[in-house]
Amino acid sequence: MRNFIDHTWILYLARIDSVKGQQHAIRAWNALSSEKQERTLLIFLGQESASGQIASLKNALTDRGRTNTVFPGASMAPRDWIAASDAFLSLSEFEGMPLAPLESIGSGLPALLSEIPGHEFLKPFANLVDCTIDDSALADSLAHLI
């Protein structure tokens, strides 16, 4: 197993679901430069809400993108993951009460969030991005977070 201790850890803390935006994160990750990917670990932490969601996300990864991407599953200690991470990512398409972004930002992590009504009140504390932009522009936003 590789050692990622010297990498920048980006935490995507949410249930693995089609509306939680992980597919947008994969688009951005795939378009990110090799140099940035090589120094970064992208962590999708959360329970799969429907069978096949994780496999679908893994299939969307490029060969280069698979190397530093992990899906550890659900956790009973999300605070530990937040404390270990360097940045937070949530490109969700809908949020009622965005607890993971609140906890992560409140813990001091820089964050990149989708520009949706549920994230608007966090605008003073995070960078918001329109997830409908092209992959390259989305990757630029991710690179800025790193």
Side-chain angles (χ1 to χ4, degrees):
M1 182 170 188
R2 290 189 56 192
N3 180 342
F4 294 104
I5 197 72
D6 61 340
H7 287 57
T8 300
W9 286 25
I10 298 179
L11 179 63
Y12 202 118
L13 174 58
R15 73 180 190 275
I16 309 296
D17 189 280
S18 61
V19 299
K20 286 301 191 178
Q22 289 96 349
Q23 72 277 14
H24 299 304
I26 297 290
R27 285 179 36 232
W29 183 250
N30 285 339
L32 198 63
S33 72
S34 295
E35 177 186 324
K36 291 280 187 190
Q37 275 188 358
E38 289 169 9
R39 298 187 333 244
T40 307
L41 177 65
L42 180 57
I43 305 161
F44 290 100
L45 183 67
Q47 182 174 351
E48 186 177 43
S49 63
S51 181
Q53 293 289 330
I54 291 175
S56 176
L57 292 171
K58 286 181 176 180
N59 287 336
L61 286 164
T62 61
D63 287 339
R64 179 175 55 90
R66 283 188 182 93
T67 306
N68 292 3
T69 307
V70 295
F71 294 83
S75 174
M76 296 301 289
R79 273 186 263 170
D80 293 344
W81 286 93
I82 291 170
S85 297
D86 299 297
F88 181 79
L89 180 62
S90 175
L91 302 179
S92 184
E93 295 175 8
F94 173 81
E95 287 289 344
M97 176 51 70
L99 295 177
L102 279 170
E103 291 177 19
S104 299
I105 292 168
S107 295
L109 290 183
L112 177 63
L113 309 176
S114 52
E115 193 172 49
I116 58 172
H119 287 155
E120 279 298 316
F121 76 101
L122 295 168
K123 195 172 189 171
F125 312 104
N127 291 322
L128 273 59
V129 63
D130 177 356
C131 291
T132 64
I133 59 177
D134 66 68
D135 296 357
S136 173
L138 202 54
D140 288 345
S141 294
L142 183 57
H144 181 72
L145 178 66
I146 295 168

